[in-house]
Structures are given as C-alpha cells and as structure tokens.
Amino acid sequence: MQLNETHDPTLRSWVAGADDRDGDFPPQNLPYGTFRHADDEPWRAGVAIGERILDLGRLATAAPFDGLAGEALAACAAPAHDGRLNGLMALGADHWHALRLALSRGLRADADAARRAPLEAALRPMAGARHATPAHIGDYTDFYISLHHATAVGRQFRPDQPLLPNYKWVPIGYHGRASSLGVQPAFRRPVGQTRPPRDGEPPAFGPSQRLDYELEMAIYIGPGNPQGQRIPMAQAEGHVFGLGLLNDWSARDIQAWEYQPLGPFLGKSFASTLSPWIVTLEALAPFRAPLRRPAGDPAPLPYLASDGNASAGAFDVRLQVDLSTELSRRAGHPAATLSRSNFRDAYWTVAQLVTHHTVNGCNLRAGDLLGTGTLSGPGPDEAGSLLELAEGGKSPLALPWGETRTFLQDGDEIRLSAHCVAPDRRRIGFGSACGRVLAADWA
Amino acid sequence: MQLNETHDPTLRSWVAGADDRDGDFPPQNLPYGTFRHADDEPWRAGVAIGERILDLGRLATAAPFDGLAGEALAACAAPAHDGRLNGLMALGADHWHALRLALSRGLRADADAARRAPLEAALRPMAGARHATPAHIGDYTDFYISLHHATAVGRQFRPDQPLLPNYKWVPIGYHGRASSLGVQPAFRRPVGQTRPPRDGEPPAFGPSQRLDYELEMAIYIGPGNPQGQRIPMAQAEGHVFGLGLLNDWSARDIQAWEYQPLGPFLGKSFASTLSPWIVTLEALAPFRAPLRRPAGDPAPLPYLASDGNASAGAFDVRLQVDLSTELSRRAGHPAATLSRSNFRDAYWTVAQLVTHHTVNGCNLRAGDLLGTGTLSGPGPDEAGSLLELAEGGKSPLALPWGETRTFLQDGDEIRLSAHCVAPDRRRIGFGSACGRVLAADWA
C-alpha cells in the first residue's frame, strides 16, 4: 500500500478534538463503527474523528461524493445492513480508498466551505454514543498466533514439550461462536462443569472460578471468496478491511474439563468483547514493520510464503490491558495496567491467516471476523492473559491499591486499548474494548 | 407433545404421490425447506407433500389462514428472510402447530373445495426443484453424541483409553463453520498440510488422501435465548424447530495434523452438506422412544436431568448411508448401502444439547444449527463413517461392483437418508443429503 495524502502527518482538521496529539482519532485515522445515541434510533455507520462521529447515514442523504466514493458511502447507508459495515466491506480496496480520500479532503482544516458543509451537518457527538458490533459477523475464527502465549500456556500443561510439533508450520485456529460477540459493557460470569475434584468422582458444577481475559486483535474480512477457491498470499490483504480489538473472555476451568478432544466450547462462548472501531488497513499503512520471528525457525511452506514486499509483514500496534475493580473505582484509583505488548511479535501475518483459512476451499464472507489469539510478547510483563501473568493461579498479581488477583472477580473491568506511533507520524488509536464481569446468575 | 389430528395414520391427501406407502412426504410429515426452479427465481419457503412442493410464498398472497396460522404463514413469506424459515422458527410451538394444522386440513383428501383451492394453486413440482439451506444459519455447533463413534475413533488413537474421562458427563461439542454449510451437490477435495512423513521434517502438502463422510442429524433452533439466560431442560424442546440430515465431510489427515490443541478446523470447514427438508418435532411426536444408554452409566448432572416424561427422550429415526462411484454409475449399478444406524442410540438427547449449550449463558438464535456428531450404532455395520468401517484404512471395504474403499475417491457420491416407522403409523421420511467429491483444484 502506497502512502498518500490521507496519511500526511501535517494534516489538521476543523473538527473538535481531532488535532489532540494524544487522541486516537486524528484525520489520519478515520476508523469505521456502528453507533446510535438512543435505543429508539436506527443503528448508523459512522467514522470517528476527534470528539465527534461522522454519521454516514445522514451524510449519504446529501450524496456529496461521486464515483467510487459515492458508491462506498451509499453502501454504508443501505438499510439492509442496519448500520453495519458489511456493504462497504464487500466492495474492496478501490472503494475503500476513494471514500477515505473524499472524507479526508472534507475534514481537513483547509477544506473549502462546499466540501465541509455536508460533513459538518452530519457530525454527532462521540459522548453518549452506544455501539453495536461494526459488522454482522457471519463466522468468527480464533487463531493462536503468539508463539510466546502458546509457549507459556503449553508450559503449564506440558513442561517437557510446551510447543506442539505443528505450531511453527500451521497457523493454529478454531471456529468460535459468533452470536455472543458484542460491544457489550458487561456480562454474567459463566456457569458450568469443571474437572472432578478426584478422578472417578462426578464433575463439579457452578460459576467459573478461573475467569480470564485474552488480549487479541480482531481482523475484519472485506470481499470474501467463493467456496472452493483459495486466496493466495499475494491477494490476501485485499480481502482484509481492517483491525480492531477483541477480548476473548475465557473460563479456564470450564475449558480444561470440556476441551478434549474437540477444543474450546462453553469456556469461550458466553461472551467476547469487541472494540467499536475498525481501523482500516489503509490507515495502518505507515505502521508496517517486519515480523519478529526467532532466527532459525523453519520457513513457511510455499503457500504461506510472502512475496517479500513490506505489505506482507506485520503491523506495529502497541497493545495495553488495564484493570479496575469495584474497590479501585469506589476509592477513585486509576486503573492498573496489567501488561503491554505489540502485534509485531505475532508468529504469523494477517495475510498468512487469510491464505491458510481458505487453502482448503473454505469461503470467507464480508464481515467475517478472525481473532489473532492472545497477543503476548517475549517478556514476562508482556503476557496477554492472567493465566500467564499469575502463572495459572500460582503467583497472585499485586494491584497498586492493595488487592491481588489470580483470576477475575465479579465487578472487575478489563479495558484493552491500542495505538500506533512512528517517527514523524501522527499517533492513531483503536479506542478500547471494555467489559465488566457481573456475578453469575446462579443460586 | 400430544398426538393430534395431524398425526392420524388414516389421513390421506389429494396431492399426487402423497399416499405412496414408501414415500417420505405423506400428509403426516409436512417438512419445511427452501426451493426454486430456476436461478432467476427468488428463493421460496415450501412444504414437501408427495411429489409436490407447496409454495408458501405464493400461498401467503392468498392469505387463506387466520390467527396464528396466518401469522406463521406470513413469517414464511416475509421478504427479509429470502425464502428461509428463520421467521417461522422464531415464532415458537403454538404458531408451528397452528400452521401445521391449517395445512393438514387443506391437504387432506376430504378437504372441501374452499380449503383446497388456495393450496392447489400454490403447488409446484418437486422434480427439478433446487434447494438452499432451509435457514440462514447464524452459528453451527457440532456435537459428538454417539458413544459408539467416540469409542471406535478413540480406540484408534488411544487403545488403552478409548473414551476420555469427560465423555459421560459433558455433551462434547465444538463450534463449526457456518459459511460452508450447503445443500450443494458437489465440492472440491480439500488441500492442506498433513503430518510430516518423519518427525522433524516439514509437513506434507496437497490434496487430502483421507477424505471421509460423517452421518449426522441436524437440529434447527427455533426461538433463541437472550445472552446470559440459560434454557432449562423442561423448556429445551420448545426451542427446537425440527431435524434434518447433515454430512460433516472430514479430511482426516488434515485434521490429525492441525487439531492439537484447539480442535478441528480446516479438516472440516471446506464443506458440509445438509438435506433440504426439516422435519418438525411435531411430526416426529409419534416416533419418540427412550434412549438406549448402557446400564450402570452415571446419571446426568441435575441441570441435564430430564423430568422423566417421554418428550425428554430420543427419536427413533432410522439412518442410512449409500455410496455410488464413477464406475458404479457408469455401469448402472445401484448405490451400495454402507451402513444403517438409529438416532436412538445417541448418548445425549436433543434437549440435553440445548440446555448444555446455554448453561454458560451462550445465546442461541433462530435458525442456528446443532449437528449431533457421527451417529454410529453399537454394531460394526452401524458405523457412520469410513474411518470406522474401514478401521482407519486398515480394512478396505469391498463394494458390490468390485471396487474397494478405505477413504473417498474423486467422483464418489454419498447419500444420507432417514425415515421413521412405527406400528400403525405412516412412515415419514427426511429425504436425503447428497454430495459428490470433485477432484482437487491443485497442480
């Protein structure tokens, strides 16, 4: 992807808050989401800019853009999509670029009045906005692309062989549950069976005692592929619309008892939390970087080999997990940062995930979601889950206000956030994926 | 479920073929599906009756029914559902019964002209009909509820411990891929990585050499549940619309290499084949039967315990798998029956699957699909997959026309079929789920 005028770090905007140096949503970003301010409003597709949301549904009624940009805008506003981005996602990179360019030109500080007027009329406050998942997500696949996470978790179960023999060849993934994905602010602690206290006894049953979060990125598919036709590496990123954040909440005790031999099920499917905004691949173009794979590892099989250009590499995205608790919020303490990591430290690229997913002929559809799996980095303070940070419960984490945690307690709130920075660039951010644990509905 | 006049075994119909003693679609059945006769027609919801399909879209324009039956018919014809049954599924058992009763009264041989006329005007031939999946399937879960299958497959991998310790406590299941479900007549052999020929070498890569079928039943969800609210056993069947057939094609070699630690992925997601017709739970009411669980097995945990009435038991559905090959079809041989089994031999009931699936708060949605997993019976000729019948490739199956099979070859066609019979009852059938293997797209 070539850098273009939408990436110009000197771009400023006339929209309130868009020029805040620490803000997530400068004019170089322009992420897409779905929002409304009241339950009786229809969901709308929108673009985050500074402290405002540009209402694409309202903007479309003014039809300010011609050509591909106009088609792309109309797709955002089509009633069939109910404010979700599936229509735009299905159109592909030329349309995405055209709409981004048209929005950028209208939002920049030096836009003339004719360009600015329709956008200004379509601005809504970001404060008070509610969000839905930014796409109707047909299928959700969750991968496992952090070597550091796989090794740390594997070590707890198989100290002699933390990493299974397939890991460095196969981008390991599994099908996830789409219905329980949401931008929901809270969910109930799951109930279920867990391993019997002693072999041969009946399993235990009740609220999960080992509830955890997982720090992941969310990859949204753009145009899909027909069933039976795989997507080669050279075309893979053309099928990706953008990235968001994903918290793949996990009940470790339910999962440990149920997952043999077919994988995670009820330990995951109670809730997964998405961030409201999707940052497009085009917005991420200035933040490409090589993967940091360990030297000496085997080269990927030919179908997963990149053509060597930068676009096949990684994204330098800085990730962060923050925790607040009932006690910390009541006492007015700031949230505690549990860890920081970087998407660059993943073992497989976004393109490799798309190509691997379709190599067997599986069809992806616009709006499908690929989770990366927990994005832990190489250092002990870069772990993306409590399972790793507290070593499976053995090393309770001390919080600044005096509490400790091995797993999540009722009332705990986890906020995932992320941003990109680079020399001579404007910071762009992902907003956050935020969720709170409620007590189990269980007597 | 009480038997009622729609189950009367003496019912006859004025529709051609509906009184055929060996037919699948007598007036006691009335299964739902989605059909059209040409690519430029819209998909329509329909009911199979004898050699005809009752076009519910056309019937709805005549609005022949009042009350709940009229509402149910309108839901079948609503354009938003594009001929799929999701609208009807969401309404619940009272609506389903009302529509079934109204259709039964209009289709019976002694229906008066006023009742018969609008139905007659909406009949289309079954010959030449094409089908889509009968629902927009939001999520697909595949279970593993045949003890006989789990034991036979487990024995191949773990001779000393075929059955894992969780099996008799947890209805084992995993999330499947919804996008590649279809009523498609053919699919390409999948390509992928398989286990390295020798440890430490790179994996092999190419078309699957161990392609298999799996004989399953498909359970379609009716009204869903809100996220966080589980469905108790006593209400579980009220959330089930009906049953169909499912062939969960499996690339055993791809699966064996990829599935640790997160379960099946590309070994399954290339294609799964559904039968076009959904037989409703109400139609199945005369064919309830107790499960045949081994004596002495542990009682289910309380949340999975039935209240002891018949509706919590099994369904006596006779299942059959037939194979034809390029050679057999060219030579005019009839298809070979590979096995027969019965849904009664499953270890868990439909109600237990629904309750277990939601115990953690996972939300089901109307049209969601639960696969049962391979339905093998206790006998060696009741195995629901080639993996079992040919013992993982060790015992090639001799076909009547002289070929042998360990796994599927290009051109092989598998037809799953099923029906119910009981003394003094009319046979009702499921039609078939039929799919053919095409050569891999691979050079």
Side-chain angles (χ1 to χ4, degrees), chain A residues 13-367:
Chain A
S13 172
W14 49 264
V15 177
D19 293 341
D20 175 0
R21 295 294 304 175
D22 296 323
D24 278 351
F25 307 124
Q28 291 84 353
N29 193 351
L30 306 180
Y32 292 89
T34 298
F35 77 102
R36 64 185 178 194
H37 285 85
D39 288 345
D40 59 355
E41 282 186 330
W43 291 109
R44 300 293 186 116
V47 167
I49 173 79
E51 295 163 5
R52 299 287 183 270
I53 300 173
L54 186 65
D55 179 339
L56 298 178
R58 180 179 282 190
L59 184 62
T61 62
F65 307 143
D66 297 326
L68 297 185
E71 292 172 17
L73 180 59
C76 296
H81 298 301
D82 196 23
R84 274 68 166 195
L85 278 306
N86 298 69
L88 178 63
M89 290 165 161
L91 289 175
D94 290 344
H95 281 87
W96 305 337
H97 170 69
L99 181 55
R100 176 177 165 89
L101 184 62
L103 293 173
S104 175
R105 288 178 175 171
L107 290 167
R108 56 197 293 171
D110 58 0
D112 63 34
R115 275 218 166 102
R116 174 174 163 164
L119 280 73
E120 194 157 17
L123 284 186
R124 305 284 305 276
M126 187 168 284
R130 302 165 200 186
H131 296 278
T133 59
H136 287 296
I137 296 166
D139 276 292
Y140 157 42
T141 298
D142 204 19
F143 284 95
Y144 192 57
I145 68 172
S146 165
L147 175 71
H148 310 292
H149 173 71
T151 304
V153 171
R155 190 175 292 127
Q156 295 186 20
F157 294 97
R158 298 174 302 273
D160 51 329
Q161 190 197 31
L163 214 58
L164 292 167
N166 56 11
Y167 190 86
K168 292 188 174 181
W169 299 103
V170 181
I172 298 291
Y174 70 106
H175 310 297
R177 179 83 194 172
S179 72
S180 51
L181 289 161
V183 191
Q184 72 275 48
F187 65 92
R188 291 202 175 277
R189 176 181 296 270
V191 165
Q193 294 189 36
T194 54
R195 194 178 292 285
R198 277 168 294 274
D199 282 355
E201 291 188 359
F205 184 77
S208 169
Q209 301 300 308
R210 291 165 69 92
L211 183 62
D212 201 355
Y213 64 87
E214 290 193 337
L215 166 62
E216 305 198 11
M217 294 208 76
I219 300 161
Y220 289 90
I221 297 299
N225 59 309
Q227 196 169 352
Q229 290 183 25
R230 57 183 168 277
I231 299 174
M233 280 289 288
Q235 293 165 25
E237 285 199 356
H239 292 266
V240 176
F241 179 70
L243 305 182
L245 295 166
L246 169 63
N247 186 340
D248 182 33
W249 306 96
S250 299
R252 305 291 182 192
D253 44 359
I254 294 173
Q255 185 181 338
W257 172 235
E258 75 176 357
Y259 92 110
Q260 290 284 14
L262 298 180
F265 181 45
L266 301 187
K268 299 281 193 178
S269 62
F270 53 93
S272 312
T273 300
L274 289 161
S275 59
W277 300 109
I278 305 176
V279 178
T280 63
L281 281 207
E282 188 170 357
L284 291 166
F287 306 102
R288 307 296 305 229
L291 277 183
R292 293 195 279 221
R293 269 197 172 195
D297 273 4
L301 290 186
Y303 79 100
L304 293 177
S306 82
D307 55 3
N309 74 31
S311 74
F315 297 89
D316 187 345
V317 181
R318 301 177 186 203
L319 303 156
Q320 179 169 326
V321 183
D322 291 282
L323 166 71
S324 71
T325 71
E326 289 281 3
L327 181 67
S328 76
R329 291 189 299 272
R330 209 165 45 225
H333 297 293
T337 297
L338 297 185
S339 67
R340 293 187 176 88
S341 65
N342 194 309
F343 187 28
R344 284 186 67 177
D345 288 309
Y347 198 77
W348 301 100
T349 66
V350 170
Q352 285 169 327
L353 301 186
V354 168
T355 293
H356 181 68
H357 204 316
T358 63
V359 68
N360 69 340
C362 181
N363 54 322
L364 305 179
R365 297 178 292 191

Side-chain angles (χ1 to χ4, degrees), chain A residues 169 177 179 266 360 363 368, chain B residues 139 177 179 266 360 363 368:
Chain A
W169 299 103
R177 179 83 194 172
S179 72
L266 301 187
N360 69 340
N363 54 322
D368 279 355
Chain B
D139 274 292
R177 179 81 194 174
S179 72
L266 300 188
N360 69 340
N363 54 322
D368 280 355

Side-chain angles (χ1 to χ4, degrees), chain A residues 23 72 224 289 385 411:
Chain A
S385 69

